Structure formats: structure tokens, C-alpha cells
């Protein structure tokens, strides 16, 4: 085998030598430095050495080839200084991402979390001025109310909920996915009117009839975003439509209340209640009138509690005191088209039977001027009109 390969080796050696000589000549003409030419001569010597040893064993030649291959592979490895440069580049990129996140106030994508917080209580949660149970109470976060996280430390969270800003204990709050889930469950979409006046249409068309005009900053609960032009809303137990162009659509979550707001609300409620319950003055009537009014109360609100009984009796007596109606209980109750139980004979039947004591007491109190509906003179089933809702009726 080796004898057959000798002519091939000799030819290969001569070819390599010829190439090397030409390379050296070209280098010299091009003005290469001496050191570079010497490198080519060294390479030439290697080729000549191989040519001058054609009788070496083929195995030795294979070993030489293997060594050259390993050298070439070693030369192909990434230099250590280049790896260092790449690592530095990666660190630089990472630093840029962190820097941008800090400047924008955002966490890195994999650590991004919601700033929503929701109250996890049955009734209400105290919110304090500092992260301390002995700190001043600045407001209340009610059940299903939410807010935004401002700061967290030592098992407390500083939050903003409407006008309320303060600290609440983490054990009574929900965060992240739990908070988002509760918000989706209890929150609702609302629209806020952004023009001076906006028509609530009966259909999603500018040619449709109009329910009412809404003033700027008025809010309505959203039923559905119909399309890019119209949004359906709840209005007085009806489905109305407003132009999407003139409203602001937002997701609403109930907010907490400051102590100042609570005091103002309680004062207003007390004044309203005082007005509603202010004695209207007694009316002199006979025993028969008291029983007649009690019979009507039973027919209209017999299945309700005492507050419902008194409200019906007060509505009748407000009419008696008003110059717009007859001035007696009998005349008011039996006025044409007013009280159905009186017109169909039911009041008369109850009058002659057993009337519950609560209805008689309510009739007597109403005659003496007691009221829980102020000066209201009308009532209907709740939901049929706006007004004061007591029991199953609304009064106005």
C-alpha cells in the first residue's frame, strides 16, 4: 500500500513547494516585512520536510495529519478575551434594562405586579394615619372597596381609595390575582358625561326618541358597549343609549370614606331624617276615622313592617293637611281613582273585621302628626318611581 502512494506524495510535495515559492515571491514584491516572509519560509520548510521523507510509514503521516487537525480545532476555539468582551456586553444590556425600568417606575417584566388592593372584610376596615394600630383613624374601607398601593412595610399597606389615603393591615387586604378577581366580580363599568348636556336615547340612533338630558360629570352604569358609536346604559329602570363620543368610559370600584366625609354624611342624613319625621301636626278626627285609616293601611301594606304601615298612614294624612286634597280621611280615601282597595270594597270589609294592632297604632301616630316620609302624598310599588323607598313602596 505504502509503495503505491509514494508517487502521489512526491507530486503533492512538489506542488506544495511550488505554491510556497510563489507565495514568497508575491510577498516580497508586495513589500511584506521580513518577519512575515520568514513565516512563509517556515511553512515551506514543513512542506519540503514532508517531501524529503516519502518513505515514512503511512501511520506516521496519519498521526501528523491528526496533530494538524487538533491544532486547527484549537485555533477555532473562541479566545478568552473575546468571551470576556461578550460577557461585558451582556452585563451592559442588562444594566440598561434595569436602568430603564427604574427610570420608568416599573419592575422588570417577570416581576411586574398589580398595584390594586381590595378590602377583605365582612363590614369595614379601619384605615390609619400611620402603620400602627394606635395611630389616628383617618377613614374606613368598606367591604368590596378597593384602592391603589402606595407603599408597603411591616405587614401594613399605605393605599389611596378615592379621597382616602392611609395605612391598613395586610391581613385584611387582598393583593395581586386575588384582588383582580374580586374587582372583576364587584366592579362595574360607568360612563361620565363630558359635554354640557347629553341626550339619553331610546335606541342607538340620533333619530331615536329621548329619555332625558344628562348634565356634565353625571355618571351612568354601563350595560354594554354596543359599537364604536353607542353605549347602552341603565336609566330609571330602562335601557338607554349615549353617544360614545361624548362620554368617558371607566371601570369603577367602590371607594373608602374619610372621617370628615363620614361626619358630613351622617349630619346630612340626620337632617334629612329629622325633616322626614318632623311632626306635621295632629288632626282632630273621630274613632271611626282612625279605624278607617287603619283598614286602608292593612289593605295597602299589611304584609310589611311598622315603618311601611306608618308611611302609608302618613301619605293619607299629608293629603288631608294639603289644600290640594279633601280635608277629611274619609274623603281622601274614597276620592275617585285614588285608592283601589277603597273603591273595590276591600277597605270596608276589613273595617268591619279584625284589624292588626300595628295598623291601628300606625294610623293613630299618623293622625297625631308622625311621619317617616316627610310631606310625600303619593306612593307606588317600589321601582315604579323615584322617591323614598320604605318596604315595598316608594313615596314622593
Amino acid at each position: 500500500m505504502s509503495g503505491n502512494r509514494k508517487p502521489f506524495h512526491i507530486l503533492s510535495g512538489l506542488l506544495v513547494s511550488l505554491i510556497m515559492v510563489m507565495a514568497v515571491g508575491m510577498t516580497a514584491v508586495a513589500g511584506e516585512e521580513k518577519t512575515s516572509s520568514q513565516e512563509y519560509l517556515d511553512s515551506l520548510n514543513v512542506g519540503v520536510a514532508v517531501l524529503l521523507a516519502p518513505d515514512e510509514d503511512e501511520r506516521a503521516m496519519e498521526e501528523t495529519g491528526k496533530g494538524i487537525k487538533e491544532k486547527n480545532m484549537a485555533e477555532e476555539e473562541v479566545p478568552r478575551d473575546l468571551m470576556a468582551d461578550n460577557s461585558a456586553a451582556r452585563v451592559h444590556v442588562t444594566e440598561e434594562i434595569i436602568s430603564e425600568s427604574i427610570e420608568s417606575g416599573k419592575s422588570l417584566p417577570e416581576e411586574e405586579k398589580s398595584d390594586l388592593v381590595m378590602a377583605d372584610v365582612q363590614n369595614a376596615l379601619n384605615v390609619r394615619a400611620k402603620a400602627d394600630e394606635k395611630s389616628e383613624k383617618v377613614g374606613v374601607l368598606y367591604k368590596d372597596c378597593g384602592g391603589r398601593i402606595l407603599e408597603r412595610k411591616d405587614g401594613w399597606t399605605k393605599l389611596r381609595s378615592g379621597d382616602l389615603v392611609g395605612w391598613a393591615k395586610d391581613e385584611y387586604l387582598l393583593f395581586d390575582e386575588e384582588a383582580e378577581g374580586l374587582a372583576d366580580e364587584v366592579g362595574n363599568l360607568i360612563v361620565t358625561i363630558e359635554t354640557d348636556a347629553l341626550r339619553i336615547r331610546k335606541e342607538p340612533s340620533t333619530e331615536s326618541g329621548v329619555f332625558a338630558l344628562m348634565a356634565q360629570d353625571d355618571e351612568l352604569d354601563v350595560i354594554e358597549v354596543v359599537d364604536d358609536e353607542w353605549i347602552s346604559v341603565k336609566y330609571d329602570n330602562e335601557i338607554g343609549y349615549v353617544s360614545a363620543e361624548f362620554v368617558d368610559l371607566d371601570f369603577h370600584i367602590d371607594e373608602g370614606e374619610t372621617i370628615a366625609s363620614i361626619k358630613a354624611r351622617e349630619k346630612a342624613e340626620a337632617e334629612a331624617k329629622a325633616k322626614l319625621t318632623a311632626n306635621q301636626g295632629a288632626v282632630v278626627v273621630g274613632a271611626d276615622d282612625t279605624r278607617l285609616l287603619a283598614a286602608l293601611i292593612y289593605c295597602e301594606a299589611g304584609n310589611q313592617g311598622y315603618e311601611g304601615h306608618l308611611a302609608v298612614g302618613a301619605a293619607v294624612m299629608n293629603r288631608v293637611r294639603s289644600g290640594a286634597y279633601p280635608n277629611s280621611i274619609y274623603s281622601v280615601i274614597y276620592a275617585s281613582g285614588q285608592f283601589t282597595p277603597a273603591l273595590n270594597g276591600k277597605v270596608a270589609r276589613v273595617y268591619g273585621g279584625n284589624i292588626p294592632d300595628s295598623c291601628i297604632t300606625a294610623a293613630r301616630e299618623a293622625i297625631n302628626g308622625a311621619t317617616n316620609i316627610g310631606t310625600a302624598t303619593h306612593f307606588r310599588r317600589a321601582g315604579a318611581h323615584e322617591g323614598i323607598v320604605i318596604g315595598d313602596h316608594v313615596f314622593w
Side-chain angles (χ1 to χ4, degrees):
M1 292 289 293
S2 59
N4 295 334
R5 289 180 177 272
K6 286 183 178 179
F8 175 77
H9 289 317
I10 294 172
L11 181 61
S12 299
L14 290 172
L15 181 61
V16 169
S17 298
L18 179 61
I19 293 173
M20 296 302 179
V21 170
M22 292 175 64
V24 170
M26 292 175 66
T27 303
V29 173
E32 290 288 333
E33 294 181 355
K34 182 178 180 180
T35 55
S36 298
S37 299
Q38 185 62 48
E39 289 173 357
Y40 282 103
L41 288 173
D42 291 343
S43 299
L44 178 62
N45 291 336
V46 172
V48 172
V50 173
L51 177 63
L52 294 177
D55 293 330
E56 284 187 0
D57 188 75
E58 182 181 65
R59 183 175 181 180
M61 290 294 294
E62 291 176 353
E63 290 294 328
T64 302
K66 181 178 179 181
I68 294 173
K69 181 178 179 181
E70 289 176 351
K71 180 176 183 297
N72 291 338
M73 290 179 64
E75 290 175 347
E76 290 175 358
E77 292 179 359
V78 179
R80 186 174 301 275
D81 59 344
L82 180 57
M83 292 178 64
D85 288 344
N86 287 341
S87 299
R90 288 195 295 271
V91 170
H92 180 63
V93 171
T94 303
E95 289 176 345
E96 286 184 347
I97 294 174
I98 295 173
S99 177
E100 290 175 0
S101 299
I102 293 174
E103 290 177 359
S104 63
K106 297 180 179 178
S107 302
L108 294 176
E110 62 272 21
E111 298 179 357
E112 187 174 350
K113 294 183 179 180
S114 170
D115 66 345
L116 177 67
V117 62
M118 298 290 292
D120 185 23
V121 292
Q122 290 299 318
N123 296 303
L125 168 64
N126 291 332
V127 178
R128 301 189 178 278
K130 298 180 180 179
D132 188 337
E133 290 182 346
K134 297 181 180 179
S135 178
E136 177 188 4
K137 180 178 173 182
V138 295
V140 173
L141 202 63
Y142 300 104
K143 175 180 172 63
D144 295 338
C145 285
R148 296 294 173 183
I149 298 171
L150 300 179
E151 184 181 348
R152 296 187 69 180
K153 70 174 183 180
D154 302 331
W156 289 76
T157 294
K158 187 176 183 180
L159 56 88
R160 178 187 298 279
S161 181
D163 294 330
L164 175 62
V165 177
W167 293 85
K169 296 196 71 172
D170 288 355
E171 61 186 288
Y172 303 113
L173 299 170
L174 295 177
F175 302 92
D176 302 323
E177 293 182 358
E178 289 184 319
E180 296 284 356
L182 180 58
D184 288 340
E185 180 182 338
V186 302
N188 62 298
L189 281 173
I190 62 170
V191 290
T192 304
I193 310 303
E194 292 192 319
T195 187
D196 292 339
L198 183 64
R199 296 178 179 86
I200 302 180
R201 300 280 184 178
K202 295 181 179 180
E203 298 293 339
S205 170
T206 55
E207 304 299 322
S208 174
V210 176
F211 280 125
L213 285 176
M214 300 296 291
Q216 188 170 22
D217 295 331
D218 281 349
E219 296 179 350
L220 293 166
D221 287 336
V222 172
I223 297 176
E224 180 186 10
V225 178
V226 180
D227 52 36
D228 292 340
E229 296 182 358
W230 295 96
I231 298 174
S232 62
V233 297
K234 296 179 183 177
Y235 176 75
D236 197 19
N237 296 311
E238 299 284 351
I239 298 177
Y241 298 86
V242 294
S243 173
E245 180 182 356
F246 302 107
V247 300
D248 176 54
L249 184 65
D250 191 22
F251 186 76
H252 175 76
I253 302 172
D254 288 344
E255 299 171 342
E257 220 178 357
T258 65
I259 293 299
S261 296
I262 293 173
K263 291 181 177 179
R265 174 176 54 78
E266 290 177 345
K267 180 180 179 181
E269 289 174 352
E271 291 175 348
K273 184 177 180 180
K275 185 176 180 180
L276 287 177
T277 58
N279 193 290
Q280 302 300 305
V283 176
V284 178
V285 298
D288 290 343
D289 286 326
T290 301
R291 189 171 181 82
L292 179 61
L293 180 57
L296 177 69
I297 291 172
Y298 177 77
C299 291
E300 294 284 5
N303 63 339
Q304 301 178 39
Y306 181 77
E307 290 297 313
H309 297 168
L310 179 60
V312 170
V316 172
M317 295 311 301
N318 286 340
R319 291 192 180 192
V320 172
R321 297 184 185 93
S322 171
Y325 297 90
N327 59 2
S328 71
I329 293 175
Y330 180 90
S331 297
V332 166
I333 290 177
Y334 282 99
S336 177
Q338 296 303 304
F339 297 99
T340 301
L343 301 178
N344 64 20
K346 186 176 180 180
V347 169
R349 291 193 298 272
V350 171
Y351 180 89
N354 295 321
I355 303 175
D357 290 342
S358 60
C359 293
I360 293 175
T361 300
R364 185 178 296 114
E365 290 294 320
I367 290 170
N368 288 332
T371 179
N372 56 356
I373 58 170
T375 59
T377 55
H378 294 75
F379 64 92
R380 291 285 186 275
R381 282 289 174 183
H385 198 280
E386 292 185 356
I388 305 163
V389 178
I390 297 179
D392 294 338
H393 292 115
V394 56
F395 297 81
W396 73 95

